[in-house]
Amino acid sequence: MAAVLFDFSGTLFRIESTETWLRAVLTEAELPLAEPELLRTAHALDRVGALPGGTHPVEQIPDELAHVWEIRDKSAELHRAAYTGVARQVPLPDPALYDALYDRHMSPVAWAPYADAAMVLRTLRERGIGVGVVSNIGWDLRPVFREHGLDSCVDTYVLSYEHGIQKPDPRLFATACAALGVEPPDALMVGDDRRADGGAAALGCRVHFVDHLPVAERPDGLRPVLDLVG
């Protein structure tokens, strides 16, 4: 392998819990909720899939949002509309909180790298293997990498909203391979989503999947990548 392409959320980084996310926004807005109500609200937000990078919706996406939800990663506007839209199914004490919640999830402090992410990325760098991040996303994740000291380990970022296409569209993976100067068969795609990240196989990339788990539950899920690249 001459290059490794990584997904972002659930692969290299994990978003904070829905409870932490909601608590931080309520604290910032100085809008206290009684603890039982806060926990019920966090659970409800979790069920509708309101936290980008969090759990998938358990509740059915409302009909009026279904189309936007399917293409949410194609632009910043669609991404915000989709996630604030599903969040509005859950009553909050102030309507401004829906946008505040969305804004919070884009903050670097809301994200934590998996325990072995830095080691794997730095080892790849030392071996001279190109690294790209290919993500379905509606905002610029580069500040997250900078905040955690990992930006120097990434050679290129290919973000769906910057190209108007989303995984599993093979054009995103092709763009990353071209930026790294490698042919697809010489690249490994690492991700947590079988459908989206598996789209790289259509180009001839090798694909390796990791489990989208809380950081504490996946201490060494990325280490096998080093063996796969040889």
Side-chain angles (χ1 to χ4, degrees):
M1 298 289 104
V4 181
L5 312 179
F6 289 96
D7 175 51
F8 168 59
S9 174
T11 300
L12 290 173
F13 283 82
R14 170 78 182 213
I15 190 68
E16 63 191 348
S17 71
T18 308
E19 179 187 333
T20 301
W21 176 57
L22 176 61
R23 195 180 299 275
V25 170
L26 289 171
T27 299
E28 178 69 21
E30 298 182 348
L31 287 170
L33 280 183
E35 191 67 10
E37 185 178 356
L38 187 150
L39 294 176
R40 283 195 298 270
T41 302
H43 179 67
L45 288 167
D46 202 46
R47 288 186 61 82
V48 300
L51 174 58
T55 57
H56 292 293
V58 175
E59 306 289 346
Q60 183 176 348
I61 300 295
D63 290 343
E64 65 272 18
L65 284 175
H67 178 64
V68 171
W69 185 261
E70 285 299 314
I71 60 171
R72 64 191 181 278
D73 296 310
K74 290 188 175 183
S75 76
E77 294 76 17
L78 288 168
H79 198 265
R80 180 181 287 271
Y83 281 102
T84 57
V86 295
R88 286 189 175 92
Q89 297 175 88
V90 179
L92 293 177
D94 185 337
L97 290 174
Y98 298 107
D99 277 311
L101 283 168
Y102 184 85
D103 292 340
R104 163 76 185 185
H105 104 275
M106 295 187 288
S107 171
V109 300
W111 295 88
Y114 282 94
D116 55 349
M119 181 278 292
V120 169
L121 290 174
R122 288 168 182 157
T123 301
L124 293 173
R125 171 66 71 203
E126 291 167 2
R127 293 184 184 179
I129 295 171
V131 171
V133 172
V134 184
S135 178
N136 277 353
I137 200 164
W139 51 277
D140 186 5
L141 53 73
R142 295 172 183 87
V144 177
F145 282 80
R146 289 196 293 269
E147 178 70 20
H148 292 278
L150 297 177
D151 185 57
S152 62
C153 299
V154 179
D155 298 295
T156 190
Y157 296 89
V158 179
L159 311 181
S160 61
Y161 84 102
E162 294 181 337
H163 297 270
I165 50 178
Q166 59 189 39
K167 297 182 291 186
D169 193 316
R171 290 177 292 174
L172 275 186
F173 308 107
T175 298
C177 289
L180 294 169
V182 301
E183 294 299 319
D186 297 322
L188 171 69
M189 176 66 205
V190 182
D192 67 296
D193 189 314
R194 265 62 178 173
R195 177 178 178 272
D197 299 313
L203 284 179
C205 296
R206 188 172 179 181
V207 181
H208 175 71
F209 296 110
V210 295
D211 294 323
H212 189 155
L213 294 171
V215 168
E217 296 177 23
R218 210 195 77 193
D220 55 5
L222 292 167
R223 288 176 185 266
V225 170
L226 299 179
D227 295 326
L228 291 171
V229 298

